[in-house]
Amino acid sequence: MQHTEIIKVLRTEPSLHEIMVRGWVRSFRSNRFIALNDGSTIHNLQCVVDFESFEESLLKKITVGAAIEVIGHLVESQGQGQAVEIQVAKIKVLGEADPEEVKRTILSPKRHSMEFLREQAHLRVRTNTFGAVMRLRSKLAFAIHEYFQKNGFYYMHAPIITGSDAEGAGEMFRVSALDPKNPPLDEQGNIDYKQDFFEKETNLTVSGQLEAETFAMGLGKVYTFGPTFRAENSNTSRHLAEFWMIEPEVAFCDLDGNMDLAEDFIKYVIQFALDNCQDDLEFLENRLLDEEKNKPQAERSEMSLREKLRFVLENNFKRVSYTEAIEILKRSKPNQKKKFKYLIEEWGADLQSEHERYLVEKHFKCPVILFDYPANIKSFYMRLNDDGKTVRAMDVLFPGIGEIVGGSQREERYDVLKQKMEVMGIPQDELYWYLDLRKFGTAVHSGFGLGFERLVQFVTGMGNIRDVIPYPRTPGNAEF
């Protein structure tokens, strides 16, 4: 007999036929009622045991955390909270769990802090909160591929090990096969990377954008969705050392088309989550509402989780130039009363999360797309405007989280790009192939990057970005 997932069982009508389920025990009350969960849904399946029909030694093994197999008939539930339950005919213990050890873990049936859950990351997906987050993460990943495939994009795999720094920031993890204690040196006393595996200095990628551009200039519309790495030593609720990046690149597409694509894409993915993850979203929303009760009124969110998601869906994204945004922020009460941590005093300032959230939540009261940023705070590959001071870059800003998407129209003019690379010290010999794209049939093209974990963080309402990844990775802690 094949076992049936609990999510399917809970949607099934009562039947005279026997069914088999497998899962982990969440609770066992009165030697009679087993709450069983197999991870397929936030909801438990109640399995009703006639304890007089089973050996006491077997029943003692049915403890919280144990893995069991149950065979029985699916009947209409006599209790509240579920439509059906299983009248148990057979039980098999597949894996025991010592109750004394369970008490020292997050599997114990009580509320645990998020810090404690991070300490036992290998077990936390067995909890309701992280089960819901990981199911949503999976659905969102599927929705991303579905959107691009439906809209004529081709999926490509950008290299994980690379010799180029796409962002020009230098915050990259080095990859080397040389002896770290005794590396070979050149005549100048520097590490001789010509003796390394790739015969050059290489790193873990920070972005697949540059390689995606090569595909876009041959296939038209492509996207990458894969791991990227930043060696930015910032242990905050917004930063990860390893994260997945969604990066579409489109030929014959200017900045306006890029903004259209970003808005349409985000709305599609969020709608998919609302349509397919209602139970998990409801649970996470209620969890957040419980947390909000312990905060001062002024610190509570004005919207519930699903209201935030519908807020994005139901509002057109306001498009505002960086210059206009700076003037709004300079005149704002928080800035004039020095309530911003980073005060806005002049054009050219790099906006912080507090500024971005003010524009979305207080001033415009809708998602915002900022565009035309100062050239000196953006990357070399962004298309320079005719004023020579700004580039055709954009950021999408959301409530509660600030920037969620960053993109630009790429510089398609060979001479301009070459000059920008010279000024910014970008090695042209390493990126000759990138310049070549501007020599053989150059064309307007654009794209954006969206950190997948940032998207999951927004959709799930989790406050710390480390709580939306399978394992909590920080600059000083690679896995646990």
Side-chain angles (χ1 to χ4, degrees):
M1 182 187 299
Q2 292 289 327
H3 78 277
T4 304
E5 293 177 339
I6 287 176
I7 190 173
K8 295 178 181 178
V9 173
L10 293 174
R11 297 170 180 171
T12 303
E13 294 294 325
S15 171
L16 294 176
H17 298 290
E18 282 191 335
I19 63 169
M20 176 195 292
V21 292
R22 292 170 178 162
W24 295 275
V25 177
R26 290 289 178 86
S27 67
F28 188 21
R29 296 183 293 111
S30 306
N31 254 14
R32 182 168 175 79
F33 302 105
I34 301 173
L36 196 66
N37 191 285
D38 64 358
S40 62
T41 173
I42 193 74
H43 300 296
N44 300 325
L45 173 64
Q46 179 162 284
C47 305
V48 183
V49 179
D50 180 3
F51 61 87
E52 294 181 348
S53 302
F54 294 89
E55 293 288 338
E56 184 178 351
S57 59
L58 174 64
L59 297 179
K60 285 183 177 180
K61 295 179 181 179
I62 303 173
T63 59
V64 172
I68 65 172
E69 175 184 280
V70 171
I71 296 176
H73 293 97
L74 190 66
V75 300
E76 185 177 347
S77 179
Q78 300 302 306
Q80 296 180 342
Q82 64 276 323
V84 294
E85 62 189 21
I86 288 184
Q87 290 288 348
V88 178
K90 299 177 183 178
I91 300 177
K92 182 179 180 181
V93 177
L94 304 175
E96 297 181 35
D98 185 331
E100 292 304 313
E101 292 194 19
V102 167
K103 288 179 183 178
R104 295 192 290 270
T105 72
I106 59 176
L107 298 180
S108 57
K110 61 180 180 180
R111 183 180 290 273
H112 301 290
S113 69
M114 299 305 290
E115 290 75 14
F116 189 35
L117 290 170
R118 292 186 203 112
E119 290 174 6
Q120 298 184 6
H122 57 298
L123 297 175
R124 65 181 183 168
V125 77
R126 296 266 291 272
T127 66
N128 283 333
T129 297
F130 281 91
V133 169
M134 292 307 150
R135 282 188 293 270
L136 269 159
R137 182 185 171 107
S138 175
K139 290 292 186 182
L140 289 169
F142 176 82
I144 288 163
H145 285 292
E146 184 177 75
Y147 174 84
F148 287 122
Q149 293 295 323
K150 281 184 175 180
N151 285 279
F153 284 74
Y154 296 100
Y155 181 40
M156 62 158 289
H157 300 146
I160 293 175
I161 300 175
T162 178
S164 63
D165 180 357
E167 299 298 323
E171 295 171 336
M172 305 179 76
F173 288 104
R174 185 169 297 152
V175 177
S176 176
L178 297 176
D179 183 352
K181 294 182 179 180
N182 188 30
L185 304 178
D186 59 20
E187 294 178 354
Q188 287 75 40
N190 299 315
I191 295 176
D192 186 3
Y193 286 104
K194 290 183 179 180
Q195 298 187 46
D196 206 349
F197 186 90
F198 293 105
E199 299 182 356
K200 63 191 298 185
E201 187 173 357
T202 53
N203 306 281
L204 293 178
T205 185
V206 298
S207 169
Q209 176 207 315
L210 302 188
E211 290 82 8
E213 284 188 55
T214 67
F215 274 61
M217 297 305 286
L219 297 177
K221 296 193 293 186
V222 302
Y223 72 104
T224 73
F225 183 21
T228 52
F229 308 84
R230 300 281 170 92
E232 182 180 357
N233 193 17
S234 181
N235 190 15
T236 74
S237 63
R238 292 166 53 88
H239 290 86
L240 291 171
E242 175 184 345
F243 57 98
W244 281 59
M245 184 76 85
I246 306 146
E247 297 177 292
E249 287 289 328
V250 187
F252 313 112
C253 177
D254 61 12
L255 185 62
D256 288 330
N258 201 28
M259 291 189 280
D260 291 340
L261 174 64
E263 181 172 351
D264 190 58
F265 165 72
I266 291 172
K267 287 185 173 182
Y268 180 92
V269 172
I270 289 177
Q271 186 65 63
F272 187 94
L274 283 169
D275 290 344
N276 294 278
C277 307
Q278 278 290 348
D279 289 346
D280 288 324
L281 286 171
E282 181 180 6
F283 170 81
L284 292 170
E285 178 176 276
N286 290 333
R287 173 189 164 276
L288 284 173
L289 290 173
D290 286 341
E291 284 190 351
E292 295 272 288
K293 293 176 183 177
N294 298 320
K295 296 180 180 179
Q297 188 67 42
E299 295 180 14
R300 297 179 186 178
S301 175
E302 296 179 3
M303 293 181 282
S304 68
L305 176 58
R306 284 178 290 183
E307 284 174 340
K308 284 183 181 178
L309 301 182
R310 286 190 284 268
F311 173 86
V312 172
L313 292 176
E314 295 168 2
N315 287 282
N316 291 327
F317 292 13
K318 178 70 175 178
R319 302 183 183 186
V320 185
S321 73
Y322 167 90
T323 300
E324 182 182 350
I326 283 292
E327 290 304 312
I328 292 170
L329 291 168
K330 284 169 65 176
R331 296 193 304 266
S332 69
K333 288 183 179 179
N335 197 63
Q336 292 179 347
K337 293 185 177 182
K338 302 187 184 303
K339 291 187 177 181
F340 281 145
K341 182 179 179 181
Y342 299 93
L343 298 179
I344 297 294
E345 298 177 353
E346 59 184 21
W347 190 92
D350 202 354
L351 300 187
Q352 305 297 317
S353 178
E354 59 180 342
H355 308 134
E356 296 165 346
R357 291 185 58 181
Y358 174 84
L359 293 170
V360 174
E361 299 169 25
K362 303 299 182 183
H363 188 83
F364 291 108
K365 298 185 184 300
C366 66
V368 173
I369 302 180
L370 296 186
F371 64 91
D372 284 357
Y373 278 83
N376 64 336
I377 64 173
K378 290 296 182 180
S379 298
F380 74 95
Y381 51 74
M382 296 182 178
R383 217 281 190 181
L384 191 66
N385 281 316
D386 293 340
D387 61 14
K389 297 191 303 180
T390 61
V391 289
R392 295 180 187 174
M394 67 157 191
D395 287 329
V396 180
L397 314 180
F398 271 14
I401 200 167
E403 180 195 339
I404 194 167
V405 172
S408 70
Q409 181 176 321
R410 315 312 189 189
E411 182 57 76
E412 84 281 5
R413 298 166 296 181
Y414 177 84
D415 56 338
V416 176
L417 180 61
K418 190 171 183 290
Q419 183 179 17
K420 288 177 70 177
M421 292 175 71
E422 288 175 355
V423 171
M424 298 180 72
I426 307 296
Q428 296 178 33
D429 57 337
E430 294 285 345
L431 291 175
Y432 73 91
W433 51 271
Y434 191 68
L435 283 165
D436 269 3
L437 297 178
R438 279 73 180 167
K439 292 169 61 178
F440 304 107
T442 191
V444 170
H445 60 289
S446 63
F448 62 79
L450 193 167
F452 181 48
E453 282 74 18
R454 188 70 64 85
L455 175 64
V456 179
Q457 186 181 19
F458 177 75
V459 174
T460 60
M462 301 301 285
N464 194 312
I465 200 165
R466 286 174 290 171
D467 295 330
V468 302
I469 57 176
Y471 297 106
R473 294 179 175 92
T474 63
N477 189 356
E479 286 193 346
F480 295 101

